[in-house]
């Protein structure tokens, strides 16, 4: 009986196309929203995990979502360096990061203020492709003094910035280009390979000074532990750090989970929007199927007069909805890849992730939703009296 | 012994809508023998179409029994009635009731599929019987009304039913097409031995039948 379903769909081409499009748009919306939120978080998480350190320390009030909140003090580094698990030397290095924010490439970017000698922990084996690594001034107080004294012969003319290749491409920024950080002039002095924790790096003391801070504060500490520590010992070290410093310490490997917890509201929002999109889509299918059933009451009555069982009529209604939904899902997936390409081309700093199990889930949702949307109209089709329909329609 | 194919006993039908009751058929007792061509005749609104729908198992009677080939259909559920209708009965309607989205061949094929099989040879034979093999790719909208009715007849006979129920089959046709269709019924009846029950208000059409059952105000007045 597939022939009947197919002939009905091809008979009303515009309506069929619109229904397929409705499903496709919903599936696209679902996949792009989920892909964009997860893709962005995962990309950030992967970049943070590229730091050659095992533990990330932050103030309990520091929000990873907005990258703002309570600060740490560099003097706490000494406390952490002295921690031991058993008798082994435990902490190799503590890397402070001061965060600033500036607009680059049309988007607000976090600027990672780091000591030049710590940059290798962020770069790993990634090379500086163009320009050079910045140098810094000994202390933030000195940097601030030199920033605030334009008559000082040692005045800082600009805040040097090292950006990653992806941002360089997206914002079309090259070495030597200038911009501003608040009131301070900034200049791109180097471009590093993509994949480093931050998209923008600056010397920590100069960044502090550019923010008007003369104290040695930081927002994050990356803790490089000894090579011989296993995961349990690292977790133990996290606990120790939390006890001694009253700060929050997490394994860098768990950064993705921590980030997701911080973005829980975003995840809920994305989920809600997706569900609403799907509900609207299936209501559309329900209305379409309802219209189809009403319009085809006579045909259904004819089929009944030919001896079609109730199940056959229900199956035919479901078949029609399924064809619409399956085609909608396929087109929706194609459109999602198109949207991914568009987003990543025109907003190169955004990442849309497409995972196979999301695609399968989208198809499953489409198919199940399609069947459920067809059940009510199918049931209504069965309830109509064929004699009445054949006599009066 | 008489070979009765279709029998009714004290058949009554009352339509109910809320508190409103409209009795349509009263104590219909009739027998139709296997291979008989019977015309049920009566004026408009006398209940003849309702009777045909009950005989064709499309409608349930309010009381009384319909026995088809020895089987009392009164107690059957909807699915078994549909199966019996599918296997033993072929319908021809006044307004043809072809599926507009399918071509002539597909209209017959759908009926065959509902019956659980679709044999090309059977469809072809049915088209040959109504002399419509050359129009098998045409959709109903591309056929004349006479041709549409011939396709409807082909659909009704393709599975060699025991009975053809024809509800005013010439009601929408002009006289020459009517004669052609009635001739076709007569031919099918003679050649294939199929029992035909034809509802009509036209005496000219009824005269093609072996026997005429007259209905007036929901009662059989002559048979």
């Amino acid at each position: 009986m597939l022939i009947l379903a197919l002939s009905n769909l091809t008979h009303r081409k515009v309506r069929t196309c619109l229904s397929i499009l409705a499903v496709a748009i919903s599936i696209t919306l679902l996949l792009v929203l989920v892909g964009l939120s997860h893709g962005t978080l995962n990309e950030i998480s992967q970049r943070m995990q590229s730091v050659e350190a095992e533990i990330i320390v932050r103030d309990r009030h520091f929000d990873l979502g907005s990258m703002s909140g309570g600060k740490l003090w560099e003097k706490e580094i000494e406390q952490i360096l002295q921690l031991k698990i058993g008798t082994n030397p435990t902490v190799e290095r503590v890397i402070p990061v001061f965060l600033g924010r500036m607009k680059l490439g049309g988007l607000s970017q976090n600027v990672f203020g780091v000591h030049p000698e710590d940059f290798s922990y962020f770069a790993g084996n990634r090379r500086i492709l163009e320009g050079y690594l910045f140098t810094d001034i000994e202390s933030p107080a000195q940097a601030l003094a030199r920033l605030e004294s334009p008559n000082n012969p040692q005045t800082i003319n600009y805040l040097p910035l090292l950006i990653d290749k992806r941002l360089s491409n997206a914002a079309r920024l090259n070495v030597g280009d200038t911009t501003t950080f608040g009131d301070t002039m900034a200049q791109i002095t180097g471009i590093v390979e993509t994949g480093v924790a931050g998209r923008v790096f600056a010397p920590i003391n100069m960044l502090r000074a550019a923010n008007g801070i003369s104290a040695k504060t930081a927002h994050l500490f990356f803790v490089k532990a000894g090579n011989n520590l296993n995961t349990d010992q690292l977790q133990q070290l996290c606990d120790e750090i939390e006890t001694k410093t009253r700060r929050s310490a997490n394994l860098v490997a768990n950064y993705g989970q921590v980030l997701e917890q911080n973005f829980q509201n975003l995840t809920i929002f994305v989920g809600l929007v997706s569900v609403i999109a799907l509900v609207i889509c299936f209501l559309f299918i329900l209305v379409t199927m309802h219209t189809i059933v009403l319009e085809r009451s006579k045909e259904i009555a004819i089929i009944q007069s030919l001896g079609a069982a109730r199940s056959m009529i229900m199956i035919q209604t479901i078949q029609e909805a399924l064809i619409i939904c399956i085609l909608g899902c396929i087109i929706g997936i194609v459109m999602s890849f198109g949207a991914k390409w568009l987003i990543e081309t025109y907003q190169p700093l955004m990442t849309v992730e497409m995972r196979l199990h999301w695609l399968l889930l989208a198809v499953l949702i489409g198919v199940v939703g399609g069947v459920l949307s067809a059940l009510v109209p199918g049931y209504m089709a069965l309830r109509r009296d064929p004699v009445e329909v054949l006599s009066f329609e | 012994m008489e070979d009765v194919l279709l029998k009714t006993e004290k058949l009554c039908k009352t339509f109910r809508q809320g508190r409103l009751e409209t009795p349509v058929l009263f104590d219909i007792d009739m027998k139709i023998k296997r291979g008989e061509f019977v015309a049920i005749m009566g004026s408009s609104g006398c209940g003849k179409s309702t009777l045909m729908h009950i005989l064709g198992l499309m409608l349930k009677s309010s009381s009384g029994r319909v026995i088809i080939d020895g089987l009392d259909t009164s107690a059957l559920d909807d699915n078994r009635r549909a199966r019996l209708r599918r296997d033993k009965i072929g319908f021809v309607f006044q307004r043809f009731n072809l599926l507009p989205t399918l071509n002539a061949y597909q209209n017959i094929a759908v009926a065959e599929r509902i019956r659980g099989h679709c044999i090309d040879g059977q469809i072809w034979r049915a088209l040959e019987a109504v002399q419509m093999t050359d129009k098998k790719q045409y959709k109903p909208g591309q056929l004349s009304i006479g041709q549409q009715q011939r396709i409807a007849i082909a659909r009704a006979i393709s599975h060699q039913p025991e009975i053809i129920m024809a509800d005013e089959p010439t009601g929408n046709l002009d006289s020459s097409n009517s004669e052609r269709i009635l001739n076709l019924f007569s031919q099918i009846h003679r050649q294939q031995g199929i029992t035909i029950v034809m509802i009509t208000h036209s005496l000219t059409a009824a005269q093609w039948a072996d026997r005429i059952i007259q209905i007036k105000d929901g009662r059989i007045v002559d048979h």
Side-chain angles (χ1 to χ4, degrees):
Chain A
M1 296 298 284
L2 192 61
I3 186 176
L4 255 185
L6 284 172
S7 71
N8 287 330
L9 293 173
T10 51
H11 192 64
R12 297 268 188 273
K13 291 185 185 73
V14 175
R15 188 180 55 198
T16 304
C17 289
L18 283 176
S19 306
I20 291 171
L21 193 64
V23 179
I25 289 171
S26 306
I27 294 294
T28 307
L29 191 61
L30 173 76
L31 285 173
V32 171
L33 276 176
V34 173
L36 189 61
S37 60
H38 282 265
T40 306
L41 291 184
N42 279 346
E43 198 259 345
I44 295 171
S45 163
Q46 277 168 17
R47 280 196 283 124
M48 290 301 251
Q49 286 175 39
S50 74
V51 181
E52 286 179 6
E54 290 78 21
I55 294 168
I56 189 165
V57 181
R58 62 194 156 109
D59 184 76
R60 289 179 197 275
H61 300 295
F62 182 81
D63 178 38
L64 283 174
S66 60
M67 284 286 188
S68 62
K71 286 179 185 166
L72 309 168
W73 296 90
E74 264 196 30
K75 61 188 176 196
E76 291 172 273
I77 290 175
E78 215 37 57
Q79 252 183 307
I80 297 170
L81 282 169
Q82 283 166 12
L83 291 173
K84 279 188 179 173
I85 303 294
T87 52
N88 297 327
T90 308
V91 179
E92 219 172 72
R93 194 175 182 92
V94 178
I95 305 152
V97 176
F98 182 91
L99 294 165
R101 278 183 97 82
M102 70 184 297
K103 200 144 183 171
L104 263 182
L107 285 173
S108 184
Q109 302 289 343
N110 286 312
V111 185
F112 278 51
V114 297
H115 291 297
E117 62 271 24
D118 285 339
F119 184 73
S120 61
Y121 289 92
F122 292 93
N125 54 6
R126 289 172 196 83
R127 292 170 301 125
I128 292 179
L129 300 169
E130 287 172 56
Y132 53 88
L133 179 63
F134 45 72
T135 53
D136 203 356
I137 291 166
E138 209 169 298
S139 74
Q142 281 177 21
L144 192 60
R146 284 164 64 177
L147 260 179
E148 286 174 345
S149 313
N151 298 328
N152 186 333
Q154 286 181 301
T155 295
I156 303 167
N157 290 321
Y158 58 84
L159 174 70
L161 299 176
L162 184 70
I163 62 170
D164 78 349
K165 186 68 183 162
R166 191 167 171 181
L167 178 60
S168 156
N169 289 340
R172 295 200 177 108
L173 288 170
N174 295 307
V175 172
D177 289 349
T178 53
T179 179
T180 52
F181 182 95
D183 296 332
T184 310
M185 185 72 91
Q187 188 176 43
I188 313 295
T189 58
I191 295 170
V192 65
E193 274 182 79
T194 305
V196 285
R199 292 204 189 287
V200 188
F201 286 90
I204 189 166
N205 287 332
M206 289 169 79
L207 186 63
R208 283 166 176 154
N211 277 279
I213 292 168
S214 57
K216 288 192 171 182
T217 58
H219 293 96
L220 301 171
F221 288 160
F222 282 96
V223 177
K224 169 77 183 152
N227 288 334
N228 50 356
L229 292 190
N230 61 31
T231 313
D232 288 342
Q233 289 170 318
L234 286 173
Q235 189 55 56
Q236 212 180 324
L237 183 58
C238 281
D239 298 341
E240 280 290 310
I241 293 170
E242 288 195 341
T243 312
K244 293 279 186 228
T245 62
R246 296 183 177 274
R247 304 296 192 181
S248 180
N250 297 97
L251 294 177
V252 173
N254 294 342
Y255 186 81
Q257 288 171 13
V258 177
L259 203 61
E260 271 185 20
Q261 281 166 11
N262 272 266
F263 280 94
Q264 214 169 15
N265 286 342
L266 176 73
T267 312
I268 292 169
F269 173 76
V270 168
L272 268 176
V273 172
S274 307
V275 167
I276 290 168
L278 284 172
V279 168
I280 292 170
C281 158
F282 293 125
L283 275 177
F284 188 86
I285 297 177
L286 196 142
V287 171
T288 305
M289 291 311 296
H290 182 227
T291 317
I292 290 173
V293 164
L294 280 182
E295 217 176 60
R296 290 183 36 243
S297 313
K298 188 169 177 184
E299 290 165 43
I300 292 167
I302 294 169
I303 295 166
Q304 281 180 303
S305 76
L306 294 172
R310 284 163 168 265
S311 56
M312 200 177 265
I313 289 162
M314 183 61 99
I315 287 169
Q316 198 214 319
T317 313
I318 291 172
Q319 272 176 345
E320 284 188 38
L322 268 180
I323 293 169
I324 289 174
C325 289
I326 290 172
L327 287 175
C329 286
I330 293 169
I331 294 171
I333 288 172
V334 174
M335 280 168 62
S336 304
F337 278 99
K340 173 183 159 70
W341 179 83
L342 275 177
I343 290 169
E344 290 179 352
T345 303
Y346 292 100
Q347 290 291 331
L349 298 182
M350 290 184 171
T351 304
V352 183
E353 221 175 272
M354 290 286 163
R355 293 188 191 165
L356 181 65
H357 69 269
W358 292 344
L359 302 183
L360 295 175
L361 189 68
V363 173
L364 185 73
I365 290 171
V367 168
V368 171
V371 171
L372 292 178
S373 309
L375 286 179
V376 176
Y379 179 71
M380 286 173 64
L382 293 178
R383 280 178 57 95
R384 294 206 71 179
D385 179 2
V387 171
E388 194 184 319
V389 174
L390 290 177
S391 306
F392 300 110
E393 287 193 10
Chain B
M1 198 180 137
E2 274 184 330
D3 186 7
V4 175
L5 179 64
L6 183 64
K7 190 167 113 178
T8 64
E9 289 175 0
K10 300 263 176 238
L11 195 73
C12 294
K13 179 67 185 175
T14 301
F15 288 106
R16 291 185 177 83
Q17 201 168 30
R19 288 182 184 171
L20 187 69
E21 292 194 348
T22 313
V24 177
L25 295 173
F26 306 90
D27 296 329
I28 302 287
D29 285 315
M30 59 185 255
K31 285 178 185 172
I32 294 171
K33 285 184 278 183
R34 196 180 299 277
E36 212 178 357
F37 183 173
V38 176
I40 298 176
M41 222 190 127
S43 56
S44 180
C46 71
K48 56 186 189 304
S49 286
T50 303
L51 177 61
M52 195 204 78
H53 288 136
I54 293 172
L55 296 179
L57 306 178
M58 298 256 292
L59 198 61
K60 280 186 174 172
S61 61
S62 304
S63 63
R65 301 199 303 165
V66 176
I67 297 157
I68 297 177
D69 211 4
L71 179 71
D72 183 359
T73 63
S74 322
L76 299 181
D77 62 22
D78 283 347
N79 278 336
R80 289 194 64 194
R81 289 162 69 84
R83 215 176 305 149
L84 199 60
R85 187 163 66 236
R86 182 188 71 187
D87 296 336
K88 290 193 182 290
I89 303 170
F91 275 99
V92 179
F93 299 94
Q94 181 179 355
R95 279 180 281 181
F96 330 125
N97 288 342
L98 296 172
L99 296 165
T101 56
L102 304 180
N103 65 30
Y105 182 93
Q106 288 168 335
N107 260 284
I108 304 168
V110 160
E112 287 299 294
R113 285 211 178 90
I114 288 170
R115 288 163 194 138
H117 47 77
C118 183
I119 303 161
D120 188 59
Q122 270 188 352
I123 301 170
W124 196 252
R125 268 196 297 279
L127 282 167
E128 267 178 346
V130 297
Q131 294 164 358
M132 288 291 286
T133 47
D134 56 332
K135 297 280 192 293
K136 67 171 192 161
Q137 296 296 343
Y138 286 52
K139 287 193 174 171
Q142 298 167 310
L143 297 169
S144 70
I145 50 170
Q147 288 169 332
Q148 287 185 49
Q149 192 62 301
R150 278 151 66 190
I151 296 298
I153 293 170
R155 182 179 64 185
I157 62 170
S158 64
H159 67 301
Q160 303 269 302
E162 299 268 0
I163 317 161
I164 288 178
M165 299 275 179
D167 184 8
E168 300 272 15
T170 58
N172 267 8
L173 306 179
D174 56 32
S175 56
S176 73
N177 268 316
S178 293
E179 194 175 332
R180 207 166 172 186
I181 292 298
L182 290 165
N183 197 24
L184 194 57
F185 274 124
S186 177
Q187 214 176 324
I188 290 164
H189 169 239
R190 273 197 322 271
Q191 288 173 358
Q192 302 184 23
I194 297 175
T195 307
I196 298 176
V197 179
M198 179 174 72
I199 304 289
T200 183
H201 66 275
S202 151
L203 184 60
T204 316
Q207 279 168 342
W208 284 78
D210 300 335
R211 182 160 65 102
I212 298 173
I213 298 174
Q214 283 271 5
I215 294 189
K216 193 179 177 192
D217 299 332
R219 288 188 169 82
I220 292 178
V221 290
D222 186 22
H223 59 96

